[in-house]
Amino acid sequence: MYRQIKHYMLILLAFLFSSLSAIFSIGYIRYHLLIQANPLPDLIAQIQASPDYTPLHEVNQDFIDALLAIEDPTFYTHHGIVFANLLEAAITDFKEHSLLMGGSTITQQLSKNLFLDQRKTFQRKIAELFFVRDLERQYTKDEILELYINIIYFGDGYYGIQAACQGYFQTDPKHISQAQATLLAGIPQAPAIYQLSDGMKYAKARQRQVLEAMYRQALISNEERDAIYHTPILNHPYP
């Protein structure tokens, strides 16, 4: 009986190893084909050539603080991947029998937006890791963050921080208010839900989460958290 169980266990392990190897190989091949078709430096140069491209130093620091607080608090200290987040996401996905959670850092999100689609597959995740490696090796953290805020979608047809600030608040990213900055920082998680044209109620609920994250990280005080939330979002046409 023991030998029979051992035999089946070896078969199972061999099957799991073969499956993981196949997933890894497919992911790497996908990465290799995409990076050959669109070399990373060329793609970045194309993005930076946009007339709406906004350098990081021309963006309100409140927005940067809010975005990092809610999206990726350890951005400046990790190397593109937070394995604890990946493990938590994997466990949740296993329990839910789905691929709902991402556990993604800003570098991972940038990789996905530059090269990949939104479909959650293991092969895509493997390809994503190779793009993360390239970004972290070739660009500084500030450059990665700058690229990210210039390509992410803020809903209502606005891609990038410049378009979002001009479209929503009729001002540039440097001069948005603290209330506007914290509202805007919450939108990229689910732009279809939080876009201001028809989702202001949900955007405000998300803003509260952003402010709570900033408070937990000692970026704002308890009084500032409440005051910012209740500050009117000026100069916008949305209810």
Side-chain angles (χ1 to χ4, degrees), residues 28 36 39 52 94 119 139 142 154 197 205:
Y28 177 77
Q36 277 194 322
D52 285 339
F94 178 78
R119 288 177 296 176
Y139 297 92
D142 282 352
F154 289 91
S197 60

Side-chain angles (χ1 to χ4, degrees), residues 12-28 122-123 126:
L12 178 61
L13 288 174
F15 173 76
L16 290 174
F17 180 78
S18 298
S19 298
L20 289 174
S21 297
I23 291 171
F24 187 89
S25 298
I26 293 170
Y28 177 77
F122 289 114
Q123 294 90 342
I126 295 298

Side-chain angles (χ1 to χ4, degrees), residues 125-218:
K125 274 297 191 183
I126 295 298
E128 182 182 288
L129 297 182
F130 286 105
F131 291 121
V132 166
R133 178 203 61 182
D134 291 350
L135 283 165
E136 290 281 340
R137 285 181 178 178
Q138 297 178 40
Y139 297 92
T140 67
K141 286 291 188 178
D142 282 352
E143 289 171 332
I144 290 170
L145 181 58
E146 182 178 288
L147 287 163
Y148 177 69
I149 65 175
N150 274 279
I151 68 169
I152 52 173
Y153 185 50
F154 289 91
D156 288 313
Y158 301 133
Y159 287 89
I161 185 67
Q162 184 68 236
C165 289
Q166 293 293 343
Y168 284 137
F169 309 125
Q170 296 78 56
T171 190
D172 60 73
K174 189 73 171 179
H175 297 108
I176 54 175
S177 69
Q178 201 169 20
Q180 292 167 341
T182 54
L183 185 77
L184 201 60
I187 295 177
Q189 185 204 42
I193 296 173
Y194 300 133
Q195 61 185 6
L196 302 190
S197 60
D198 56 8
M200 178 60 81
K201 178 178 71 172
Y202 303 107
K204 286 294 290 182
R206 176 66 172 167
Q207 182 191 28
R208 187 179 289 278
Q209 295 176 350
V210 172
L211 290 167
E212 182 62 30
M214 296 178 73
Y215 171 68
R216 290 197 306 269
Q217 295 166 45

Side-chain angles (χ1 to χ4, degrees), residues 178 210-229:
Q178 201 169 20
V210 172
L211 290 167
E212 182 62 30
M214 296 178 73
Y215 171 68
R216 290 197 306 269
Q217 295 166 45
L219 294 169
I220 55 175
S221 67
N222 184 50
E223 293 75 15
E224 289 172 321
R225 176 184 58 184
D226 294 337
I228 294 168
Y229 180 77

